[in-house]
Amino acid sequence: MRHHKVLIAGLEKQRRKRAHSQANDSYLSSGHHYYDVSVPTLRTLAKAWLKNNGGIPDAEFIAVLDALYRGKSYEEKVLASILLSYHRTRPGTIGPKLLDGWLEHLVGWAEIDSLCVFSSSAARRDFTEDEILADWSEWARFIRNLARDKNINKRRAALVFLTVPLRYSEDKRLAALGFEVIEELKLERHIMITKAVSWLLRSMLRHHERAVAAYVRENRPSLPAIAVRETTRKITTGRK
């Protein structure tokens, strides 16, 4: 599609040709084509495109995102998430069904985290805790299904999707779902999961410190060591 071609042309123009790029970095590596375009540059490309296409209808915008998420490169997928974080669609336009489909095309920490965090970031707050709670049964089912998926990238997504909403919400349903997902995944020892467990626990501390402290104390032997260590340190220092 036309928009996709324009954005690809932007990536081609901004690609770097470094002898030692970050393509093999453990956080970035996904096996997808790599243009070696920095995230700040991706943000600039996204803002420029939206300046020219800010009035794009929701259906057409979703088609652009879909083309990017299905694209061959790491940068296309991250650019899609950046566009999603900058452009507001009507409430309810983008929900679990679309997100689940896009996750099918994402691999590795950076691609997964870009969708899960940018989409609910403080800048966009599209999938806010209020919107999730307003359609609670669908979102809870979505997160539970991700946590049980055979695809480790989706299992990580189950944890990361909850980090931003739980940082802002006092709602006990969200906290209970966070603990439920951690229980489902706490015995896994792949770093993609262990780091995400730690991240989620630490995100819950602002509004659920007592519950997190008790959970860590009671489940210390079965939790990933990094989750225990980093969460306990944050409780001790008082940094929320």
Side-chain angles (χ1 to χ4, degrees):
M1 61 185 298
R2 177 175 58 86
H3 291 303
H4 191 201
K5 289 180 179 179
V6 169
L7 291 166
I8 290 294
L11 294 176
E12 291 278 5
K13 184 177 180 180
Q14 297 297 329
R15 72 186 307 164
R16 295 177 287 187
K17 297 180 180 179
R18 296 181 295 171
H20 300 287
S21 75
Q22 292 177 308
N24 293 319
D25 183 284
S26 63
Y27 183 70
L28 299 181
S29 181
S30 64
H32 294 136
H33 181 74
Y34 191 65
Y35 287 106
D36 197 10
V37 177
S38 69
V39 170
T41 300
L42 292 176
R43 292 183 184 278
T44 299
L45 287 172
K47 289 177 181 177
W49 184 84
L50 286 170
K51 184 177 181 180
N52 294 325
N53 300 277
I56 188 170
D58 285 351
E60 191 173 354
F61 180 65
I62 289 171
V64 174
L65 296 183
D66 195 59
L68 289 168
Y69 281 125
R70 293 171 179 271
K72 68 176 183 178
S73 71
Y74 156 83
E75 282 85 358
E76 286 170 88
K77 300 167 194 299
V78 175
L79 180 58
S81 295
I82 293 173
L83 286 169
L84 181 58
S85 75
Y86 287 162
H87 183 72
R88 187 75 178 179
T89 54
R90 289 174 299 171
T93 300
I94 298 173
K97 185 176 180 180
L98 271 177
L99 295 171
D100 190 54
W102 289 336
L103 283 169
E104 290 287 345
H105 305 284
L106 304 184
V107 176
W109 307 47
E111 292 180 7
I112 293 297
D113 295 359
S114 66
L115 176 57
C116 297
V117 176
F118 289 165
S119 62
S120 58
S121 67
R124 175 184 171 83
R125 306 293 285 121
D126 190 50
F127 312 124
T128 65
E129 56 280 1
D130 290 337
E131 289 177 314
I132 290 173
L133 292 169
D135 197 5
W136 176 245
S137 60
E138 183 177 1
W139 276 95
R141 182 169 58 251
F142 170 56
I143 296 296
R144 290 183 178 116
N145 287 340
L146 290 179
R148 297 165 186 155
D149 201 282
K150 63 181 181 180
N151 182 343
I152 192 172
N153 297 288
K154 286 193 171 185
R155 297 200 300 278
R156 178 178 175 86
L159 295 157
V160 180
F161 260 129
L162 292 173
T163 56
V164 175
L166 273 166
R167 181 168 177 79
Y168 289 93
S169 177
E170 299 179 14
D171 195 282
K172 292 184 178 180
R173 287 174 293 173
L174 270 174
L177 182 60
F179 286 127
E180 181 183 332
V181 172
I182 292 171
E183 276 292 299
E184 183 76 29
L185 299 172
K186 68 180 182 180
L187 297 180
E188 293 196 33
R189 289 300 178 258
H190 193 289
I191 193 171
M192 281 187 68
I193 301 300
T194 59
K195 288 289 287 185
V197 168
S198 176
W199 189 3
L200 180 53
L201 284 170
R202 287 178 285 123
S203 294
M204 295 171 70
L205 286 175
R206 177 183 287 184
H207 296 294
H208 307 279
E209 181 176 348
R210 287 188 178 180
V212 172
Y215 180 80
V216 171
R217 184 171 58 252
E218 294 167 7
N219 294 273
R220 191 182 190 97
S222 57
L223 283 169
I226 190 172
V228 173
R229 182 172 65 252
E230 292 184 349
T231 306
T232 301
R233 182 186 299 125
K234 197 163 186 178
I235 292 172
T236 302
T237 61
R239 294 179 180 178
K240 307 301 185 291

